[in-house]
Amino acid sequence: MMQEHDLLNEYDQMVKHVIEAGVGSRFKNWNIEKLKELIEEYKPMFSSKGVDIFVCHKQEYISHGQYGGHVENFRWIEFVDRAEQPSYQPQRDAETKDEGCAVM
């Protein structure tokens, strides 16, 4: 898709930017707020070439049985070719963690 829409340079630049700036300083986990800010910078570049970007997030409780449990966080970026999927909406929203997801 990136090649079809002439987005390889923008994609490579975005990946480097996310790696450099998207990790939290205290813990080496992805900082969802930083990730959303970074993706917002790239949204117009991709959108102008027919691809929308979504930041998604899912939290899942992992039970340890009688010993309690912990929450796992899953974060990902979705790229949507609007010519192929004009009405696509992701299932997980990084903003509200609801089932719907707004275009980032």
Side-chain angles (χ1 to χ4, degrees):
M1 176 186 342
M2 299 305 160
Q3 196 167 13
E4 280 180 32
H5 290 273
D6 191 29
L7 284 165
L8 286 174
N9 289 334
E10 291 88 339
Y11 177 79
D12 288 342
Q13 179 184 358
M14 183 189 75
V15 168
K16 287 176 188 172
H17 196 180
V18 167
I19 290 169
E20 291 170 2
V23 176
S25 58
R26 185 169 174 207
F27 301 107
K28 295 302 177 194
N29 296 324
W30 293 107
N31 180 318
I32 193 68
E33 294 305 319
K34 282 186 182 178
L35 183 58
K36 290 188 294 187
E37 288 175 22
L38 292 172
I39 297 307
E40 190 64 30
E41 292 180 35
Y42 290 89
K43 178 185 167 189
M45 292 179 221
F46 282 79
S47 185
S48 70
K49 295 183 178 183
V51 175
D52 281 340
I53 305 174
F54 297 88
V55 176
C56 296
H57 178 197
K58 176 184 177 186
Q59 288 184 320
E60 187 174 316
Y61 181 75
I62 308 298
S63 175
H64 297 225
Q66 66 182 2
Y67 303 107
H70 69 279
V71 174
E72 291 280 340
N73 291 289
F74 302 92
R75 298 170 180 104
W76 65 95
I77 300 168
E78 294 185 359
F79 300 89
V80 179
D81 181 336
R82 283 303 181 190
E84 298 288 327
Q85 297 288 328
S87 61
Y88 176 82
Q89 292 293 310
Q91 293 182 355
R92 302 289 180 175
D93 182 0
E95 292 290 336
T96 65
K97 299 177 192 143
D98 286 341
E99 291 301 310
C101 185
V103 175
M104 292 300 297

